[in-house]
Amino acid sequence: MALALTSLFALLCAISAALQYNDPDPVRWIVLYLAAGAAAVVAWRQPRAWAAPLAVAGVALVWAGLLWAGVAGTVETSDLWKKMSEKGGKVEEMREAGGLSLVVIGGALAAWRARRVSAGLRR
């Protein structure tokens, strides 16, 4: 099960990185998504490296917090399906904050699982 979830997370991170080609600032997003996927795989293969996905999740958490603070109260969930031109750049920021939040969750879960395995709590 852990392998399947780690593989899915890594695949989704790779797809997310590939989709950044037309973003106004693609490099930082590509680096973040590839780092998140790679860190999860490393922690799965070498559980003592549990801090790697946790570190990426920490960076994503701070970044997401900044973005969420900027969109809170200005964008509604229903706006996510509208064109950005209808609502402005805040819709893009909310989408970015959502992606970062998924990186936080995936990275934290990968670190938690690896930490448990490295401590001998679960195989």
Side-chain angles (χ1 to χ4, degrees):
M1 177 77 153
L3 174 59
L5 291 175
T6 301
S7 299
L8 177 62
F9 181 68
L11 177 64
L12 291 175
C13 286
I15 290 169
S16 295
L19 291 174
Q20 299 305 311
Y21 71 93
N22 65 349
D23 196 81
D25 52 352
V27 174
R28 63 183 177 169
W29 291 101
I30 291 170
V31 168
L32 175 86
Y33 286 126
L34 291 179
V41 170
V42 165
W44 178 78
R45 295 199 32 102
Q46 298 175 1
R48 291 187 179 169
W50 59 268
L54 194 60
V56 177
V59 169
L61 179 64
V62 171
W63 194 356
L66 293 170
L67 290 178
W68 281 119
V71 299
T74 62
V75 181
E76 296 178 25
T77 306
S78 61
D79 294 332
L80 292 175
W81 289 270
K82 293 181 180 178
K83 292 182 199 174
M84 281 187 283
S85 60
E86 294 176 17
K87 194 68 178 176
K90 293 294 182 182
V91 172
E92 174 71 10
E93 287 181 28
M94 187 172 185
R95 291 175 183 161
E96 290 172 344
L100 289 167
S101 297
L102 293 174
V103 168
V104 170
I105 293 166
L109 289 174
W112 176 76
R113 181 236 162 240
R115 178 73 175 122
R116 287 181 50 89
V117 170
S118 71
L121 298 174
R122 185 173 177 195
R123 287 222 168 238

